[in-house]
PDB file of all heavy atoms in Angstrom:
ATOM      1  N   THR G  46      -6.263  -3.060   9.440  1.00 93.00           N
ATOM      2  CA  THR G  46      -6.465  -4.355  10.070  1.00 93.00           C
ATOM      3  C   THR G  46      -6.455  -5.442   9.006  1.00 93.00           C
ATOM      4  O   THR G  46      -7.116  -5.310   7.965  1.00 93.00           O
ATOM      5  CB  THR G  46      -7.800  -4.390  10.831  1.00 93.00           C
ATOM      6  OG1 THR G  46      -7.788  -3.397  11.858  1.00 93.00           O
ATOM      7  CG2 THR G  46      -8.029  -5.759  11.458  1.00 93.00           C
ATOM      8  N   LEU G  47      -5.706  -6.503   9.243  1.00 94.00           N
ATOM      9  CA  LEU G  47      -5.676  -7.667   8.362  1.00 94.00           C
ATOM     10  C   LEU G  47      -6.225  -8.865   9.118  1.00 94.00           C
ATOM     11  O   LEU G  47      -5.712  -9.224  10.180  1.00 94.00           O
ATOM     12  CB  LEU G  47      -4.249  -7.952   7.895  1.00 94.00           C
ATOM     13  CG  LEU G  47      -3.512  -6.837   7.139  1.00 94.00           C
ATOM     14  CD1 LEU G  47      -2.115  -7.288   6.763  1.00 94.00           C
ATOM     15  CD2 LEU G  47      -4.289  -6.400   5.914  1.00 94.00           C
ATOM     16  N   VAL G  48      -7.272  -9.471   8.577  1.00 95.00           N
ATOM     17  CA  VAL G  48      -7.944 -10.598   9.220  1.00 95.00           C
ATOM     18  C   VAL G  48      -7.748 -11.841   8.360  1.00 95.00           C
ATOM     19  O   VAL G  48      -7.946 -11.805   7.140  1.00 95.00           O
ATOM     20  CB  VAL G  48      -9.454 -10.313   9.397  1.00 95.00           C
ATOM     21  CG1 VAL G  48     -10.153 -11.495  10.064  1.00 95.00           C
ATOM     22  CG2 VAL G  48      -9.670  -9.039  10.200  1.00 95.00           C
ATOM     23  N   GLU G  49      -7.371 -12.943   9.011  1.00 94.00           N
ATOM     24  CA  GLU G  49      -7.147 -14.194   8.287  1.00 94.00           C
ATOM     25  C   GLU G  49      -8.405 -14.620   7.538  1.00 94.00           C
ATOM     26  O   GLU G  49      -9.531 -14.527   8.040  1.00 94.00           O
ATOM     27  CB  GLU G  49      -6.742 -15.288   9.277  1.00 94.00           C
ATOM     28  CG  GLU G  49      -6.349 -16.603   8.601  1.00 94.00           C
ATOM     29  CD  GLU G  49      -5.847 -17.615   9.612  1.00 94.00           C
ATOM     30  OE1 GLU G  49      -6.697 -18.192  10.341  1.00 94.00           O
ATOM     31  OE2 GLU G  49      -4.623 -17.801   9.696  1.00 94.00           O
ATOM     32  N   ASN G  50      -8.216 -15.046   6.287  1.00 92.00           N
ATOM     33  CA  ASN G  50      -9.271 -15.500   5.378  1.00 92.00           C
ATOM     34  C   ASN G  50     -10.187 -14.376   4.911  1.00 92.00           C
ATOM     35  O   ASN G  50     -11.182 -14.641   4.223  1.00 92.00           O
ATOM     36  CB  ASN G  50     -10.094 -16.637   5.992  1.00 92.00           C
ATOM     37  CG  ASN G  50      -9.284 -17.912   6.116  1.00 92.00           C
ATOM     38  OD1 ASN G  50      -8.482 -18.236   5.237  1.00 92.00           O
ATOM     39  ND2 ASN G  50      -9.471 -18.633   7.215  1.00 92.00           N
ATOM     40  N   VAL G  51      -9.871 -13.140   5.301  1.00 88.00           N
ATOM     41  CA  VAL G  51     -10.548 -11.973   4.737  1.00 88.00           C
ATOM     42  C   VAL G  51      -9.536 -11.151   3.945  1.00 88.00           C
ATOM     43  O   VAL G  51      -9.749 -10.829   2.768  1.00 88.00           O
ATOM     44  CB  VAL G  51     -11.198 -11.107   5.829  1.00 88.00           C
ATOM     45  CG1 VAL G  51     -11.823  -9.843   5.219  1.00 88.00           C
ATOM     46  CG2 VAL G  51     -12.250 -11.890   6.584  1.00 88.00           C
ATOM     47  N   HIS G  52      -8.417 -10.824   4.588  1.00 91.00           N
ATOM     48  CA  HIS G  52      -7.375 -10.016   3.951  1.00 91.00           C
ATOM     49  C   HIS G  52      -6.138 -10.816   3.584  1.00 91.00           C
ATOM     50  O   HIS G  52      -5.278 -10.326   2.855  1.00 91.00           O
ATOM     51  CB  HIS G  52      -6.978  -8.863   4.864  1.00 91.00           C
ATOM     52  CG  HIS G  52      -8.117  -7.973   5.220  1.00 91.00           C
ATOM     53  ND1 HIS G  52      -8.796  -8.083   6.414  1.00 91.00           N
ATOM     54  CD2 HIS G  52      -8.720  -6.967   4.540  1.00 91.00           C
ATOM     55  CE1 HIS G  52      -9.758  -7.184   6.455  1.00 91.00           C
ATOM     56  NE2 HIS G  52      -9.740  -6.503   5.346  1.00 91.00           N
ATOM     57  N   PHE G  53      -5.992 -12.014   4.122  1.00 93.00           N
ATOM     58  CA  PHE G  53      -4.872 -12.872   3.747  1.00 93.00           C
ATOM     59  C   PHE G  53      -5.279 -14.325   3.909  1.00 93.00           C
ATOM     60  O   PHE G  53      -6.123 -14.661   4.746  1.00 93.00           O
ATOM     61  CB  PHE G  53      -3.616 -12.558   4.564  1.00 93.00           C
ATOM     62  CG  PHE G  53      -3.749 -12.769   6.051  1.00 93.00           C
ATOM     63  CD1 PHE G  53      -3.413 -13.990   6.636  1.00 93.00           C
ATOM     64  CD2 PHE G  53      -4.203 -11.751   6.876  1.00 93.00           C
ATOM     65  CE1 PHE G  53      -3.523 -14.182   8.015  1.00 93.00           C
ATOM     66  CE2 PHE G  53      -4.315 -11.929   8.251  1.00 93.00           C
ATOM     67  CZ  PHE G  53      -3.971 -13.150   8.817  1.00 93.00           C
ATOM     68  N   LEU G  54      -4.682 -15.187   3.081  1.00 93.00           N
ATOM     69  CA  LEU G  54      -4.983 -16.614   3.136  1.00 93.00           C
ATOM     70  C   LEU G  54      -4.365 -17.240   4.379  1.00 93.00           C
ATOM     71  O   LEU G  54      -3.311 -16.802   4.855  1.00 93.00           O
ATOM     72  CB  LEU G  54      -4.453 -17.304   1.876  1.00 93.00           C
ATOM     73  CG  LEU G  54      -5.024 -16.802   0.541  1.00 93.00           C
ATOM     74  CD1 LEU G  54      -4.363 -17.548  -0.620  1.00 93.00           C
ATOM     75  CD2 LEU G  54      -6.536 -16.950   0.489  1.00 93.00           C
ATOM     76  N   ALA G  55      -4.998 -18.284   4.873  1.00 94.00           N
ATOM     77  CA  ALA G  55      -4.540 -18.912   6.108  1.00 94.00           C
ATOM     78  C   ALA G  55      -3.139 -19.495   5.989  1.00 94.00           C
ATOM     79  O   ALA G  55      -2.416 -19.591   6.980  1.00 94.00           O
ATOM     80  CB  ALA G  55      -5.530 -20.003   6.527  1.00 94.00           C
ATOM     81  N   ASP G  56      -2.740 -19.879   4.763  1.00 94.00           N
ATOM     82  CA  ASP G  56      -1.412 -20.475   4.578  1.00 94.00           C
ATOM     83  C   ASP G  56      -0.378 -19.461   4.093  1.00 94.00           C
ATOM     84  O   ASP G  56       0.698 -19.852   3.635  1.00 94.00           O
ATOM     85  CB  ASP G  56      -1.487 -21.659   3.620  1.00 94.00           C
ATOM     86  CG  ASP G  56      -1.987 -21.265   2.229  1.00 94.00           C
ATOM     87  OD1 ASP G  56      -2.368 -20.083   2.029  1.00 94.00           O
ATOM     88  OD2 ASP G  56      -2.005 -22.144   1.334  1.00 94.00           O
ATOM     89  N   MET G  57      -0.661 -18.180   4.206  1.00 96.00           N
ATOM     90  CA  MET G  57       0.309 -17.179   3.808  1.00 96.00           C
ATOM     91  C   MET G  57       1.554 -17.302   4.685  1.00 96.00           C
ATOM     92  O   MET G  57       1.447 -17.389   5.910  1.00 96.00           O
ATOM     93  CB  MET G  57      -0.276 -15.770   3.950  1.00 96.00           C
ATOM     94  CG  MET G  57       0.659 -14.662   3.498  1.00 96.00           C
ATOM     95  SD  MET G  57      -0.188 -13.051   3.474  1.00 96.00           S
ATOM     96  CE  MET G  57       1.142 -11.977   2.913  1.00 96.00           C
ATOM     97  N   PRO G  58       2.746 -17.322   4.090  1.00 97.00           N
ATOM     98  CA  PRO G  58       3.963 -17.429   4.907  1.00 97.00           C
ATOM     99  C   PRO G  58       4.034 -16.292   5.922  1.00 97.00           C
ATOM    100  O   PRO G  58       3.825 -15.129   5.579  1.00 97.00           O
ATOM    101  CB  PRO G  58       5.087 -17.317   3.871  1.00 97.00           C
ATOM    102  CG  PRO G  58       4.469 -17.759   2.582  1.00 97.00           C
ATOM    103  CD  PRO G  58       3.043 -17.305   2.650  1.00 97.00           C
ATOM    104  N   PRO G  59       4.310 -16.611   7.195  1.00 97.00           N
ATOM    105  CA  PRO G  59       4.272 -15.565   8.223  1.00 97.00           C
ATOM    106  C   PRO G  59       5.287 -14.443   8.001  1.00 97.00           C
ATOM    107  O   PRO G  59       5.017 -13.299   8.357  1.00 97.00           O
ATOM    108  CB  PRO G  59       4.549 -16.337   9.523  1.00 97.00           C
ATOM    109  CG  PRO G  59       5.123 -17.645   9.103  1.00 97.00           C
ATOM    110  CD  PRO G  59       4.546 -17.947   7.765  1.00 97.00           C
ATOM    111  N   LYS G  60       6.441 -14.741   7.404  1.00 97.00           N
ATOM    112  CA  LYS G  60       7.400 -13.671   7.141  1.00 97.00           C
ATOM    113  C   LYS G  60       6.827 -12.683   6.130  1.00 97.00           C
ATOM    114  O   LYS G  60       6.955 -11.467   6.289  1.00 97.00           O
ATOM    115  CB  LYS G  60       8.724 -14.234   6.638  1.00 97.00           C
ATOM    116  CG  LYS G  60       9.808 -13.178   6.492  1.00 97.00           C
ATOM    117  CD  LYS G  60      11.158 -13.798   6.162  1.00 97.00           C
ATOM    118  CE  LYS G  60      12.235 -12.713   6.068  1.00 97.00           C
ATOM    119  NZ  LYS G  60      13.566 -13.311   5.760  1.00 97.00           N
ATOM    120  N   ALA G  61       6.177 -13.202   5.095  1.00 97.00           N
ATOM    121  CA  ALA G  61       5.535 -12.327   4.115  1.00 97.00           C
ATOM    122  C   ALA G  61       4.397 -11.543   4.751  1.00 97.00           C
ATOM    123  O   ALA G  61       4.182 -10.359   4.443  1.00 97.00           O
ATOM    124  CB  ALA G  61       5.018 -13.146   2.939  1.00 97.00           C
ATOM    125  N   LEU G  62       3.655 -12.176   5.660  1.00 97.00           N
ATOM    126  CA  LEU G  62       2.550 -11.495   6.322  1.00 97.00           C
ATOM    127  C   LEU G  62       3.053 -10.345   7.191  1.00 97.00           C
ATOM    128  O   LEU G  62       2.466  -9.260   7.204  1.00 97.00           O
ATOM    129  CB  LEU G  62       1.751 -12.491   7.164  1.00 97.00           C
ATOM    130  CG  LEU G  62       0.547 -11.935   7.926  1.00 97.00           C
ATOM    131  CD1 LEU G  62      -0.452 -11.273   6.977  1.00 97.00           C
ATOM    132  CD2 LEU G  62      -0.127 -13.042   8.724  1.00 97.00           C
ATOM    133  N   GLY G  63       4.143 -10.576   7.933  1.00 97.00           N
ATOM    134  CA  GLY G  63       4.712  -9.498   8.737  1.00 97.00           C
ATOM    135  C   GLY G  63       5.138  -8.326   7.876  1.00 97.00           C
ATOM    136  O   GLY G  63       4.899  -7.160   8.219  1.00 97.00           O
ATOM    137  N   TYR G  64       5.774  -8.630   6.760  1.00 97.00           N
ATOM    138  CA  TYR G  64       6.206  -7.583   5.830  1.00 97.00           C
ATOM    139  C   TYR G  64       5.009  -6.811   5.278  1.00 97.00           C
ATOM    140  O   TYR G  64       4.969  -5.581   5.309  1.00 97.00           O
ATOM    141  CB  TYR G  64       6.995  -8.222   4.689  1.00 97.00           C
ATOM    142  CG  TYR G  64       7.611  -7.238   3.725  1.00 97.00           C
ATOM    143  CD1 TYR G  64       8.953  -6.900   3.828  1.00 97.00           C
ATOM    144  CD2 TYR G  64       6.864  -6.647   2.706  1.00 97.00           C
ATOM    145  CE1 TYR G  64       9.541  -6.004   2.940  1.00 97.00           C
ATOM    146  CE2 TYR G  64       7.429  -5.758   1.827  1.00 97.00           C
ATOM    147  CZ  TYR G  64       8.768  -5.432   1.941  1.00 97.00           C
ATOM    148  OH  TYR G  64       9.334  -4.530   1.067  1.00 97.00           O
TER     149      TYR G  64
END
Side-chain angles (χ1 to χ4, degrees):
T46 299
L47 302 180
V48 180
E49 186 175 76
N50 291 322
V51 176
H52 302 99
F53 62 92
L54 300 178
D56 61 355
M57 182 172 180
K60 186 173 182 179
L62 180 58
Y64 185 100

